Amino acid sequence: MKKIAVLLLAVTLFLSGCQFTGQDIPDEGGSGGQGGSSVGKGSSESDPAGDDAPGMSETSLPVINVESINVQRYTEDGETLLVEITKDNMTLSGDGFEKAAETVKKLFYNTEEELSRQADDLVEMAMDQYMGTTDWFTPYGHSTSYEVTRLDANVLSVKVNSYDYEGGAHGYGAEWGTTIDLMNGAELALSQLAVDAPGFMNRVLEVVLEDLSQRQEEEELFDAYESYVEQHIEETSWYLDVTGIVLVYTPYEIGPYSSGNIAVLVPYEEVTEYMKAEYLPTQGNFISKLSMNHEVTTKLSDGEYTVLWKMKHVGPYDDFETTITVNSGDSLVEPMVSVQHAYLMWRQDGRCFLIFDIDWASDDFETFVYELSAGGAVQTADVWAALDETPSSIDSMKLRFSLDVLGTHISRMTYALTEDGRLEPLEDVYTFTSNREWQGLTTVKELPVTVDGQQTTLPAGTSLFIDATDNAGTAWFTTDDESGAISGEIHYERREDDYQLYINGISEYEYFEMIPYTG
């Protein structure tokens, strides 16, 4: 089982009194899709930031934790994957947020046992198709992941992404949203955002129909889409982001499967007069996902800026062009790279930052930070790492690295955005998420290690996993023995212009049966 935990600590972020307007920008030529460890040995159990943490703010929001559970079923020979279910589990904690925590657990949490039962229910069907397949077999299964699209003092809004395959020509991908009032734990209906519910819903309907009418041909909508939208506007799925209310229609609701999920933005400015003040983005703590093809305009005391993340297809073979622009200036990214995530963050001190990560090639990620003002965008930081899903706080966000230390490992480290916009690590240890299926090491000779501060050796035939590293000569391990697991340190040397590591002057390859490097 593979588990990934993401700690998202949310703290005061928002520029008080700013206002947002949003406009949906059509995707020219087609729509495009985008693409959560325990603390390592040697790290402190106390506050990792300490008294010297850069720019830490004072008022905390809830702690959000996301853990991914993966359940697999194989053929009896273990060679072919029949069923795979991957599910994000989200939990929320924090004083004063107990009711919201209960709601989050009810909506976004499944036990491994529940997922195992789901996998077992699919095995027989998957096996039947596998036995009748003469070419490539596609495993059955489900996957569910979450994106926090808005988190502030009053609401948590989450976009859910799911994909199901149970045979046939293709699977079924869907998106929907959920928004929770953090003060009372209630899952909000769309009309509950409003003081004047009838006026609000009528205006939402008008904006949605106007938007869809402008892109009917491009989106290949059903002829009867208007009637469907009118009849189902109350129960249409939605979520909040920086720009407004996003209504989501899954495949076959108002268009064919080929049109995919259709998202329609209702900018806050269109419905401000109808909405309750607590649900507008003017409360003091704010961070939000920047959605593709939605232009965001923010008014400041000295002017305003607009931000647009856009992708369009430019060729017959899924060639694309990506841009992120501020104030209609030059793009902040090279046109043919893939932007994975983009977020806007407002600080208590009145400054705003744009943070995004791009995948240059083969999971080679780089994260950029720009400070935004009426004058445009100024780069303040970049780190060769990916954003680990939603960075729900400027003061504590996880970055994800691919490190080569006794194998290739996905690792995480907590960073903060300093007052001058730099990304500064709050830890000195990278924690790993080891895949127990293939990332174990087995010694073929005595391995020098340190256990409880004492130098010793592990005998040949010992199985172990790497849990963490400082990426500077020390790796922490745990032996694969549930009845008497041993934890300790392996000290290594990295030589210039030499890919392999050395332990006591001997190549790592002489100590282990196989070292699972990738890439």
Side-chain angles (χ1 to χ4, degrees):
M1 179 189 70
K2 178 182 178 183
K3 294 187 177 180
I4 309 172
V6 181
L7 185 61
L8 305 170
L9 300 174
V11 196
T12 304
L13 309 173
F14 177 73
L15 168 60
S16 296
C18 67
Q19 299 174 337
F20 303 94
T21 63
Q23 179 181 2
D24 192 34
I25 307 299
D27 184 358
E28 300 172 10
S31 59
Q34 293 293 308
S37 147
S38 56
V39 176
K41 315 298 183 294
S43 62
S44 173
E45 293 183 358
S46 61
D47 182 359
D51 295 333
D52 299 324
M56 297 296 283
S57 51
E58 298 177 356
T59 305
S60 294
L61 288 179
V63 175
I64 297 172
N65 190 74
V66 179
E67 178 184 80
S68 182
I69 298 181
N70 179 268
V71 176
Q72 300 175 336
R73 297 291 184 266
Y74 286 82
T75 53
E76 289 187 3
D77 60 10
E79 295 295 324
T80 302
L81 178 64
L82 290 173
V83 176
E84 182 171 27
I85 295 181
T86 303
K87 175 77 162 57
D88 276 359
N89 276 340
M90 179 184 293
T91 58
L92 179 148
S93 60
D95 292 340
F97 299 104
E98 290 78 10
K99 291 183 178 179
E102 292 176 4
T103 304
V104 168
K105 185 173 183 179
K106 180 183 69 175
L107 294 173
F108 304 126
Y109 193 88
N110 291 94
T111 66
E112 186 175 355
E113 290 73 19
E114 290 172 326
L115 300 188
S116 293
R117 287 195 294 270
Q118 293 179 27
D120 292 339
D121 290 340
L122 293 175
V123 166
E124 185 175 349
M125 286 194 302
M127 190 64 185
D128 287 343
Q129 180 162 331
Y130 170 71
M131 296 300 294
T133 298
T134 58
D135 47 14
W136 183 259
F137 169 75
T138 301
Y140 281 38
H142 312 297
S143 65
T144 305
S145 61
Y146 307 128
E147 297 178 52
V148 176
T149 58
R150 177 176 151 184
L151 177 64
D152 58 32
N154 294 314
V155 298
L156 166 67
S157 201
V158 179
K159 177 184 175 184
V160 182
N161 303 279
S162 71
Y163 183 81
D164 302 285
Y165 180 76
E166 296 184 10
H170 56 73
Y172 182 81
E175 299 174 356
W176 66 93
T178 298
T179 298
I180 298 168
D181 186 313
L182 291 177
M183 296 298 99
N184 59 28
E187 182 183 3
L188 294 170
L190 184 57
S191 61
Q192 291 177 305
L193 297 177
V195 175
D196 175 6
F200 171 78
M201 294 304 299
N202 286 336
R203 184 57 186 146
V204 168
L205 179 59
E206 290 174 357
V207 174
V208 171
L209 290 177
E210 181 180 355
D211 181 287
L212 292 175
S213 69
Q214 293 175 354
R215 50 177 171 161
Q216 180 179 7
E217 182 176 346
E218 178 185 332
E219 300 287 357
E220 298 183 71
L221 304 182
F222 292 145
D223 291 339
Y225 81 88
E226 291 187 39
S227 176
Y228 180 90
V229 171
E230 291 173 353
Q231 294 177 25
H232 298 277
I233 192 67
E234 292 275 0
E235 61 263 27
T236 299
S237 184
W238 60 279
Y239 58 87
L240 302 174
D241 69 9
V242 65
T243 53
I245 308 163
V246 182
L247 283 75
V248 183
Y249 296 92
T250 57
Y252 303 120
E253 277 195 281
I254 60 174
Y257 180 84
S258 59
S259 292
N261 294 278
I262 299 172
V264 182
L265 172 70
V266 179
Y268 290 118
E269 65 172 353
E270 296 287 350
V271 290
T272 297
E273 63 181 295
Y274 305 105
M275 285 184 64
K276 296 176 182 177
E278 60 265 31
Y279 299 135
L280 288 167
T282 56
Q283 300 307 309
N285 304 325
F286 204 90
I287 182 169
S288 183
K289 178 178 179 287
L290 182 65
S291 298
M292 187 186 298
N293 300 323
H294 288 170
E295 184 177 82
V296 179
T297 299
T298 299
K299 298 179 181 179
L300 305 173
S301 59
D302 62 345
E304 68 179 30
Y305 60 76
T306 60
V307 184
L308 173 61
W309 167 23
K310 186 175 183 181
M311 188 179 85
K312 65 179 180 179
H313 290 291
V314 295
Y317 303 109
D318 290 329
D319 294 330
F320 63 91
E321 182 178 276
T322 302
T323 56
I324 295 182
T325 56
V326 178
N327 292 348
S328 301
D330 294 334
S331 176
L332 306 182
V333 302
E334 294 187 18
M336 300 305 291
V337 302
S338 177
V339 178
Q340 300 296 300
H341 308 91
Y343 299 91
L344 288 169
M345 301 175 172
W346 289 264
R347 294 179 63 113
Q348 188 178 19
D349 60 9
R351 300 167 72 177
C352 183
F353 295 88
L354 167 68
I355 183 168
F356 61 88
D357 60 355
I358 63 177
D359 185 2
W360 289 103
S362 186
D363 292 330
D364 194 8
F365 284 92
E366 189 171 8
T367 292
F368 294 87
V369 180
Y370 284 81
E371 182 171 2
L372 306 184
S373 69
V378 176
Q379 183 178 328
T380 59
D382 72 276
V383 177
W384 283 95
L387 288 168
D388 197 26
E389 300 303 332
T390 306
S392 292
S393 170
I394 285 179
D395 295 328
S396 181
M397 67 183 77
K398 292 284 187 179
L399 297 187
R400 188 176 76 248
F401 300 78
S402 179
L403 295 184
D404 292 327
V405 176
L406 299 174
T408 301
H409 301 269
I410 299 300
S411 62
R412 290 167 174 81
M413 182 174 281
T414 305
Y415 278 69
L417 193 67
T418 64
E419 291 184 0
D420 57 359
R422 292 178 295 108
L423 285 171
E424 183 168 308
L426 298 180
E427 303 169 322
D428 54 12
V429 172
Y430 300 85
T431 58
F432 289 168
T433 302
S434 295
N435 188 317
R436 261 38 186 177
E437 298 289 335
W438 60 272
Q439 284 192 294
L441 299 173
T442 301
T443 59
V444 295
K445 62 186 298 183
E446 287 191 346
L447 175 68
V449 297
T450 300
V451 177
D452 295 331
Q454 302 296 317
Q455 294 183 351
T456 184
T457 60
L458 298 178
T462 301
S463 296
L464 58 90
F465 296 99
I466 305 299
D467 299 319
T469 185
D470 59 5
N471 203 31
T474 302
W476 286 267
F477 73 89
T478 303
T479 59
D480 187 21
D481 185 348
E482 295 182 359
S483 62
I486 299 172
S487 297
E489 304 171 5
I490 301 172
H491 298 279
Y492 63 85
E493 175 190 3
R494 192 188 300 275
R495 299 177 181 175
E496 187 175 358
D497 299 326
D498 194 341
Y499 182 77
Q500 61 190 317
L501 304 182
Y502 293 84
I503 302 171
N504 270 13
I506 300 174
S507 169
E508 59 184 331
Y509 291 101
E510 295 189 28
Y511 285 105
F512 303 102
E513 287 183 1
M514 182 189 71
I515 303 179
Y517 284 109
T518 62

